[in-house]
Amino acid sequence: MTNILEVEDLHVTFSTYGGTVKAVRGVTFSLKQGETLAIVGESGCGKSVTSNAIMRLIPNPPGKIDKGSIRFKGKDLMHETEKKMRSIRGVDISMIFQDPMTALNPTLTIGSQLMEGLREHHKVSPDKAKRKAIEMMELVGISNPAERLKQYPHQFSGGMRQRIVIAMALICEPELLIADEPTTALDVTIQAQILELFEKIQKVTGVSIILITHDLGVVANIADRIAVMYAGKIIEMGEKRDIFYRPQHPYTKGLLKSVPRLDLDGEKLTPIDGTPPDLFSPPKGCSFYARCPFAMKVCNKVYPVQTNITDSHHVACWLQDERAKQLQATLPIK
């Protein structure tokens, strides 16, 4: 199966009055056709910045993509003009933003908002656009779509609005869908329905999906692979079963211990002590050093290189590197 997206050594910074924030620091990953990749981590770890960089939506200033390549179907999006990117967004690559309450224009009908992208990019007739909008509403599970096209966002529940946002992202039949925290503003019952909807959509359309979330529990059923981000870097990546059943990085293990599980009756949730590092001046060594219960001297001095646990499971942690003891012995105490 070929890669539809390849991100390599991506660096994104933001200039502020307090200094330069190194928000994304050398992120590398790929996505296969028809695959779902989940990117998980705490707030502020660089997940949304990475997704916005793929769409070339980093505001400049204050943001800047300093380095890296973003190859979509073999073409580096970093070399495309803004005019070309406008023709790619919504057509080849679509994005679902976090809050369905603010993603829709309250002054326009659902139908006009659904059909806008289709008519703009594909120049179809009003009748054809309407038929396609009804088809997409049916796909995302909205009943009586012909009548509901005439309604306004305030006449829909939060879950229904999120379904409309998903339909808007899919109406031009993109090959890549980026969903940035698509269930955060929804209750757990609606969350489950939306996640089931993503599975259904992928089976019907074959779209590749990048799912951004801070909650490992959200991706348990639908992700094929999981990338764990911390302080602007991907620290562990593997297939779903690797991350859930054979996690290697202490941060990944900490995330899993903080997720409620119904199969472990009576077990207390364990929070991760401390806070992420200051990305104005990120540490030279492992970013998780100050919070890690297994930290060694080498962790604070040198950033760990990637260790391949298996062909599909990779981690950046000195605990998994055979050279750790040798380096530990050569470093000064302070």
Side-chain angles (χ1 to χ4, degrees), residues 42-111:
E42 290 172 283
S43 296
C45 72
K47 308 183 300 297
S48 294
V49 174
T50 299
S51 64
N52 280 294
I54 294 170
M55 298 287 286
R56 289 271 306 275
L57 289 174
I58 300 296
N60 185 9
K64 182 183 177 184
I65 300 177
D66 293 293
K67 183 182 176 183
S69 65
I70 303 166
R71 303 188 71 84
F72 175 70
K73 298 177 66 175
K75 293 184 178 180
D76 194 344
L77 300 183
M78 293 299 299
H79 297 151
E80 300 289 1
T81 63
E82 178 57 26
K83 182 179 179 180
K84 178 64 175 177
M85 285 305 303
R86 284 197 296 268
S87 70
I88 291 173
R89 298 186 195 112
V91 180
D92 299 306
I93 308 174
S94 277
M95 189 166 180
I96 301 169
F97 295 95
Q98 287 192 25
D99 189 356
M101 309 302 176
T102 58
L104 297 172
N105 188 328
T107 68
L108 298 177
T109 64
I110 292 298

Side-chain angles (χ1 to χ4, degrees), residues 8-21:
E8 185 174 352
D9 198 25
L10 181 66
H11 292 254
V12 183
T13 57
F14 290 88
S15 297
T16 72
Y17 291 113
T20 300
V21 179

Side-chain angles (χ1 to χ4, degrees), residues 102-172:
T102 58
L104 297 172
N105 188 328
T107 68
L108 298 177
T109 64
I110 292 298
S112 62
Q113 295 184 66
L114 267 174
M115 292 183 277
E116 180 182 11
L118 192 62
R119 298 196 65 189
E120 173 67 25
H121 292 292
H122 294 303
K123 310 300 181 185
V124 300
S125 67
D127 286 344
K128 187 172 181 179
K130 183 177 180 180
R131 288 196 299 271
K132 185 66 174 180
I134 290 172
E135 178 187 325
M136 292 310 303
M137 290 179 74
E138 289 174 340
L139 177 64
V140 299
I142 294 179
S143 59
N144 198 17
E147 287 300 316
R148 305 215 73 176
L149 279 178
K150 306 170 188 176
Q151 296 180 335
Y152 289 84
H154 73 271
Q155 295 174 279
F156 288 71
S157 67
M160 289 295 105
R161 272 181 276 193
Q162 188 64 292
R163 290 171 186 265
I164 292 296
V165 170
I166 294 170
M168 288 173 61
L170 293 171
I171 198 162
C172 290

Side-chain angles (χ1 to χ4, degrees), residues 156-207:
F156 288 71
S157 67
M160 289 295 105
R161 272 181 276 193
Q162 188 64 292
R163 290 171 186 265
I164 292 296
V165 170
I166 294 170
M168 288 173 61
L170 293 171
I171 198 162
C172 290
E173 300 180 357
E175 296 183 69
L176 171 59
L177 177 65
I178 302 173
D180 188 359
E181 300 274 10
T183 62
T184 298
L186 307 173
D187 64 55
V188 291
T189 303
I190 305 301
Q191 279 187 16
Q193 293 175 8
I194 296 299
L195 293 172
E196 288 176 5
L197 177 59
F198 278 117
E199 285 189 280
K200 173 188 172 183
I201 287 168
Q202 192 169 55
K203 289 177 182 177
V204 172
T205 66
V207 66

